[in-house]
Each structure stands twice: as structure tokens, then as C-alpha cells.
Amino acid sequence: MLVIVMILSFLLSENMNTSYATSKATIKNGVKKVTVSGKSFTVQTVAIPKGTPVSIGLAKGNVGVTENFNSIVKAYRAEAAINGAFFEAYSGPPDPYGNLIVDGKVANIGNTGTTIGFKSDGTVLMDSLRMSLTGTVSRAKGSPIGWYATFINRTPAPNANISILYTEDRGSHVGFKGGIAVVMENGVVTKKVVNDNVPIPKNGYVLICTGTMKSMSDRFEVGAEVGINLTYQDDKGQALPWEDVITAVGAGPRLVKDGKVALSPANEGFKDPKILTSAAARSGIAIMPDGSVIIATVSGATMKQWAEVIQKLGAKQAMNLDGGASSALYGGGKVMTPAGRLLSNTLVFGNNLNR
């Protein structure tokens, strides 16, 4: 039964420690004037004490849909919020691109840029997180055989040759037709069918294999036990201690490292001129020397200027979040920066979050 325990600890455990260190200080919003390279910027900020409960505010509670920023804030009863990972906002399903960890469960694998993660004791991490999902499946004859999924909760491109895992964070169904669906409940394969937008079981998940990857579904037999192994590494392949992270969002690029500007977007995989050279509305998050967090937005800044601005705010570590029309900030009971589009995901903070 060890394989079942492994699965439950990865995705389905109801015993995950989701408690947070109690925060006695209050969340405070403000407006700061910062000058870099001879140009003055007005920065909207929300200071969040270490240990304040934090979660991913998903649009309508699911990965792969969008919702009004104000509605997400209200639904989660957030005291502070900011837009999160990049997502497909122009064509195709609005799936996020960055890593997402929700209540200790991986809800999306992006494996680009930088990710910020929060532990239950209030510790905050920031790394070039790269996650790998592999597993084993038992067989009636012979040794267990391996399998893997490239992404979690993402709609495959037409004619893609890929395997993707779908969890309850996706919603009630996988959201598309095509490929072979392997349905698993309580760590055991319960069915294998042609995917006709199959339901996702509450106590399990679905693996979809498309294109040439359909052959991997042959490794799964109804009644077989399935094991999962999730590894956390940085962009150089070094192991990262992220097993205890219960909330995380990935975007980037990294702006500040150990108190110094550390900007290298091309090396993090970014190619869009909106990130590399253009000036635009920006959102970001910083870890302060005392372990508290600041979320902030600014208008009309290049990424280099944004890095210098957030460093001047006193950041020890900092990263960029989605920006442009996605840039949005809430604190002090009001929207400080209104979103210019519906959003896929946010970071929400507060002592009475509806998670």
C-alpha cells in the first residue's frame, strides 16, 4: 500500500498541514515614490507580515478559466491580493504558464522563470523551481513499469504528443475531448477510456495521453496500483527543499537576489519583448529581510527599472509577476490597481481566507 500513500501525500491528502504561523501585525497598504536612473515612479504597495495566511486565488476555484479580479478577492475573503502567474490571455484556453501549488498540492507545472513558495511556518522561498512528475504502475505479470506526465491541468495543443495529469483543481471534468483517459481513484486504476471530456473523481485524478503518447496508456491495467514521484530541482538540476511548500506561484523573471538587482530574463527562458525591453505596467512580490512580504504594482516601467525600484523598496529577494493588463492589486479594503482583463489566478492573503 506504500504507492497509495505516496499518491495521497502528493495530491489528495486531507491531512496536509495547512496551518500558518499566527500573524499579529496588520496588513498595510501605501503609495511610495521611487526614483531610479533619473525617473520617478509611483509604486502601489501592500506590506504583509510574516506568517499571514496565503493561498492561490483561482478563477471560479479552478485552473483554466478566468474571472474578474474583484470577484476572486471577494470569493476568497482576501485582505490583500495581487495577480499571479502568466496565462494564455489571447487565444486558446486561459491556462496558466507558471508553477502553481494550492493547499500543498501541485495544480500546475510551468517550469520556467522564478517561483515563490510559502511554508506553513511562514517561511518564504524563491527559486528557479523545476518540477518533474514520474511514477510507476503495477502489472499482473512482471515488475512495475514507469510513466510520466509533462504537465498538470493544461489543455493539450491540437495534435500534441503528450501526457498530462488532471486533478480536482481543474474542476469537475478535464475540459476537452481527445486522447486516452486513464482514471484513477484512491491510487488504483478504475477505468481506461477514450477521452470524451471525462469527469475527474473527487478522490483521484485522470491521466490523458494524446498522439504518439497514447501507447503509454497501455501500461495501465484496471485494478493496478499507481505510484507517483514528484521531484523539486532548480534550473541547474540541484535538489530544492520544496516538499513542505503549501502555496506557490511561478512567473518571473527574478528581480532581486540577496538584496542586489539580479535580472537575467533571457536565461530564464523569456523571449517576449514585453519582458525583455518594453515599458509596461508591472506587478511583483518581494521578500523583506525580516521575512515579511511586499506586493506591489507600478506603471510604465521596463523590467530593469522595475528591478531597481523594488530593490529600493528594501527587498532581499524579489520577482516579477504577470503584468500589462493583468496587473492588479488589492489592499486596505480597496482595489489599488484595477485589472485590465479577467484573470486566471492570483495570490490572496488574509487571516480569514476562504480556502
Side-chain angles (χ1 to χ4, degrees):
M1 299 302 291
L2 176 59
V3 290
I4 296 178
V5 173
M6 291 171 63
I7 293 170
L8 295 179
S9 65
F10 167 59
L11 290 171
L12 306 172
S13 174
E14 296 300 327
N15 296 319
M16 176 67 67
N17 180 7
T18 56
S19 63
Y20 292 77
T22 301
S23 172
K24 295 182 180 179
T26 57
I27 294 172
K28 296 181 180 179
N29 61 320
V31 180
K32 300 182 183 297
K33 296 285 188 179
V34 180
T35 300
V36 297
S37 303
K39 184 175 181 179
S40 179
F41 293 89
T42 300
V43 189
Q44 306 290 331
T45 67
V46 181
I48 301 166
K50 181 178 179 179
T52 300
V54 54
S55 187
I56 300 297
L58 294 174
K60 301 177 182 176
N62 297 142
V63 174
V65 295
T66 57
E67 188 177 6
N68 180 277
F69 176 62
N70 298 20
S71 297
I72 298 174
V73 169
K74 183 178 180 180
Y76 282 83
R77 298 201 303 261
E79 296 174 44
I82 191 167
N83 61 289
F86 297 100
F87 66 98
E88 178 52 67
Y90 301 103
S91 61
D95 294 332
Y97 295 140
N99 296 319
L100 294 177
I101 298 176
V102 182
D103 293 334
K105 300 172 290 186
V106 178
N108 193 71
I109 292 179
N111 285 346
T112 58
T114 299
T115 302
I116 186 167
F118 299 81
K119 293 186 176 183
S120 60
D121 64 358
T123 301
V124 190
L125 307 176
M126 190 174 289
D127 286 303
S128 55
L129 177 65
R130 306 292 182 260
M131 294 185 286
S132 176
L133 175 60
T134 60
T136 57
V137 58
S138 66
R139 296 182 292 175
K141 296 181 180 180
S143 302
I145 191 170
W147 64 275
Y148 69 91
T150 303
F151 296 114
I152 294 179
N153 294 327
R154 182 175 297 188
T155 305
N159 303 315
N161 304 308
I162 199 167
S163 56
I164 304 176
L165 195 72
Y166 296 85
T167 76
E168 60 183 345
D169 286 314
R170 179 72 169 187
S172 62
H173 292 69
V174 298
F176 65 96
K177 298 179 180 181
I180 303 297
V182 180
V183 181
M184 292 161 271
E185 297 182 57
N186 295 318
V188 176
V189 178
T190 57
K191 67 173 70 173
K192 187 168 61 175
V193 296
V194 173
N195 173 39
D196 187 24
N197 191 21
V198 300
I200 302 170
K202 290 292 185 182
N203 55 345
Y205 40 85
V206 177
L207 179 71
I208 302 290
C209 302
T210 70
T212 58
M213 289 300 294
K214 288 180 181 179
S215 61
M216 192 167 71
S217 66
D218 296 336
R219 305 175 191 181
F220 296 82
E221 300 172 353
V222 173
E225 293 182 348
V226 182
I228 285 182
N229 180 44
L230 183 70
T231 59
Y232 304 85
Q233 298 179 328
D234 64 15
D235 57 356
K236 296 178 176 59
Q238 299 298 309
L240 292 174
W242 277 63
E243 292 81 3
D244 296 330
V245 168
I246 57 178
T247 298
V249 63
R254 183 71 171 258
L255 301 174
V256 176
K257 185 173 183 179
D258 299 329
K260 298 179 180 180
V261 171
L263 183 64
S264 186
N267 289 337
E268 291 190 41
F270 293 100
K271 300 177 181 180
D272 194 328
K274 295 177 182 178
I275 299 293
L276 300 178
T277 57
S278 300
R282 306 293 182 189
S283 296
I285 186 166
I287 306 171
M288 308 305 284
D290 64 357
S292 64
V293 165
I294 284 181
I295 53 177
T297 58
V298 72
S299 298
T302 65
M303 200 59 68
K304 181 176 183 297
Q305 291 168 332
W306 186 214
E308 293 173 351
V309 165
I310 210 162
Q311 187 227 18
K312 281 200 170 185
L313 293 178
K316 183 177 180 180
Q317 319 291 345
M319 61 179 278
N320 180 63
L321 298 169
D322 193 7
S326 295
S327 190
L329 185 67
Y330 175 87
K334 65 179 182 179
V335 175
M336 303 171 69
T337 301
R341 61 164 64 105
L342 300 179
L343 298 182
S344 162
N345 64 93
T346 64
L347 267 175
V348 291
F349 300 82
N351 291 298
N352 297 293
L353 289 178
N354 180 20
R355 296 194 300 274

